[in-house]
């Protein structure tokens, strides 16, 4: 009773292949995401939390800023493969850049750096960019600026 026979297995729908095609770079960033985790309270100069209301995915992102440069960056994604891969690439693009430069990173830059992403998943690249913008705003709001000036 309750066991699955090979006949029952044979009646399961068969899929012919991946529903969406992700290139090797995207798969690499999804399987081995860079800069995953979170910064400690003392390291954190800016923090962003954003969500995509259309799918419910969320992104948390931390930055540490020294001399106007993003010295450390970390993220945690509660999202799909596209969100994880694009956020991973975004953190690679942002790390080491000046805050002013990092502000100009767009979702298109991230998708281009990954060598493309399925059309239906392009919106996923917005999550990381929005989280970075939120973390930079948080830093600008005074938290990091006070630290940098030694206040
Ligand atoms: Fe929600 Fe990808 S489906 S971020």
């Amino acid at each position: 009773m309750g066991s699955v026979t090979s006949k029952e297995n044979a009646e399961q729908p068969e899929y012919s292949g991946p529903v969406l095609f992700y290139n090797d770079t995207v798969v690499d960033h999804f399987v081995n995401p860079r800069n995953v985790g979170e910064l400690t309270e003392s390291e954190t100069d800016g923090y962003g939390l954003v969500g995509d209301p259309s799918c419910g995915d969320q992104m948390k992102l931390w930055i540490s800023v020294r001399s106007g440069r993003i010295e450390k960056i970390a993220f945690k994604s509660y999202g799909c493969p596209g969100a994880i891969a694009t956020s991973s690439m975004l953190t690679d693009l942002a790390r080491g850049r000046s805050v002013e430069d990092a502000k100009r990173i767009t979702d298109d830059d991230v998708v281009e750096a990954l060598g493309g992403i399925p059309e239906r998943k392009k919106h996923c690249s917005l999550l990381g960019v929005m989280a970075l913008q939120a973390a930079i705003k948080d830093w600008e709001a005074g938290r990091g600026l006070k630290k940098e000036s030694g206040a």
Side-chain angles (χ1 to χ4, degrees):
M1 174 180 109
S3 65
V4 179
T5 65
S6 58
K7 186 170 183 283
E8 284 170 324
N9 274 340
E11 289 168 1
Q12 295 297 314
E14 282 187 28
Y15 297 103
S16 57
V19 177
L20 292 173
F21 176 79
Y22 292 104
N23 70 37
D24 290 346
T25 308
V26 176
V27 171
D28 180 42
H29 276 265
F30 169 55
V31 177
N32 305 298
R34 314 335 185 233
N35 309 302
V36 164
E38 57 187 88
L39 301 185
T40 64
E41 179 66 31
S42 63
E43 288 175 312
T44 301
D45 297 313
Y47 168 71
L49 167 63
V50 297
D52 182 334
S54 70
C55 61
D57 290 353
Q58 277 191 352
M59 178 75 56
K60 295 178 176 179
L61 188 143
W62 293 257
I63 54 172
S64 177
V65 180
R66 292 294 170 272
S67 305
R69 242 165 232 293
I70 297 179
E71 186 186 62
K72 289 183 187 172
I73 184 166
F75 79 97
K76 278 190 172 174
S77 170
Y78 303 89
C80 70
I84 293 168
T86 55
S87 299
S88 168
M89 177 56 87
L90 168 82
T91 58
D92 259 2
L93 292 177
R95 198 171 40 142
R97 284 201 193 191
S98 69
V99 171
E100 288 310 310
D101 214 7
K103 272 188 197 175
R104 289 193 283 271
I105 299 174
T106 66
D107 51 329
D108 285 341
D109 294 334
V110 174
V111 170
E112 189 180 322
L114 284 168
I117 193 164
E119 195 60 39
R120 278 178 49 199
K121 305 303 284 180
K122 278 196 172 155
H123 74 278
C124 308
S125 60
L126 270 174
L127 261 189
V129 171
M130 283 167 29
L132 175 61
Q133 301 300 336
I136 289 174
K137 271 200 183 115
D138 186 41
W139 175 72
E140 286 176 334
R143 195 172 168 184
L145 291 173
K146 273 185 220 148
K147 264 196 201 172
E148 287 233 326
S149 66

